[in-house]
Amino acid sequence: MMQKNAISWLLLLMAALMLAACGTESDNLPEDPESGGEIIEGEVTSTIEETDNGTYRYTVKNDTQEAVTFNFTSGQRYDFTLTDEQGNEVFRMSSVSMYTQALGEEILRQGEELQYEIQVPEANLEPGTYTLEVWMTPTQGTNYPAEIEHTIE
């Protein structure tokens, strides 16, 4: 009789644990208030903003529910160019830089961001408005470009 009671309690405990585990997993996705509470997933985005005269911050943010892995063949993580008003490339950072030749990896987990400070060098350019374009340099996948106007006075 005592053995039947112990088995009954054990089965009851197992059933309670199974029921408690049901439905507790959450995707933690934001709700869209205009769609009646549907869940929407974000994306990986890139932005560039000027922080000081000639200094910019390039940001890549992961708003997805998955980690994003960037694989690199060197120490270079991003590149940038300056393009004049006629669309001619007048400066490319990688053409005047050297990078370590070592495999590297950056893992961008959900909700995290990578930030890179960019100092646009004085490259003996004529005064005017240029387009500064920045992008990641992974071996595969999207390179998440961003651009902004850069003025030389």
Side-chain angles (χ1 to χ4, degrees):
M1 178 84 165
M2 187 179 254
Q3 192 174 19
K4 277 188 176 181
N5 258 350
I7 291 175
S8 295
W9 279 107
L10 183 60
L11 288 174
L12 184 61
L13 180 62
M14 286 177 48
L17 289 173
M18 287 176 54
L19 287 174
C22 290
T24 60
E25 185 176 326
S26 172
D27 289 337
N28 292 325
L29 294 173
E31 288 189 6
D32 182 2
E34 293 186 335
S35 66
E38 276 183 49
I39 293 178
I40 53 173
E41 185 172 334
E43 58 187 13
V44 178
T45 58
S46 60
T47 58
I48 186 166
E49 62 184 338
E50 187 169 11
T51 58
D52 198 10
N53 188 23
T55 304
Y56 296 87
R57 180 178 301 120
Y58 171 59
T59 304
V60 178
K61 185 172 184 185
N62 183 2
D63 285 329
T64 70
Q65 294 300 307
E66 303 286 326
V68 177
T69 302
F70 298 102
N71 292 302
F72 301 94
T73 57
S74 71
Q76 181 184 15
R77 298 298 187 253
Y78 64 89
D79 201 355
F80 68 88
T81 58
L82 286 175
T83 306
D84 66 16
E85 293 173 335
Q86 290 75 37
N88 300 314
E89 182 179 301
V90 294
F91 180 82
R92 180 176 293 257
M93 187 63 188
S94 60
S95 69
V96 296
S97 301
M98 296 180 66
Y99 303 97
T100 59
Q101 297 300 305
L103 297 177
E105 177 180 88
E106 296 279 352
I107 298 174
L108 189 56
R109 291 179 174 61
Q110 63 189 60
E112 292 183 342
E113 57 187 38
L114 295 171
Q115 290 188 342
Y116 301 100
E117 296 296 320
I118 296 170
Q119 177 65 46
V120 176
E122 293 182 24
N124 296 324
L125 297 174
E126 297 288 323
T129 301
Y130 296 83
T131 300
L132 170 64
E133 184 176 10
V134 184
W135 62 93
M136 302 265 313
T137 58
T139 57
Q140 295 178 338
T142 306
N143 60 5
Y144 303 103
E147 63 181 48
I148 194 171
E149 284 188 357
H150 174 72
T151 303
I152 297 176
E153 297 178 358

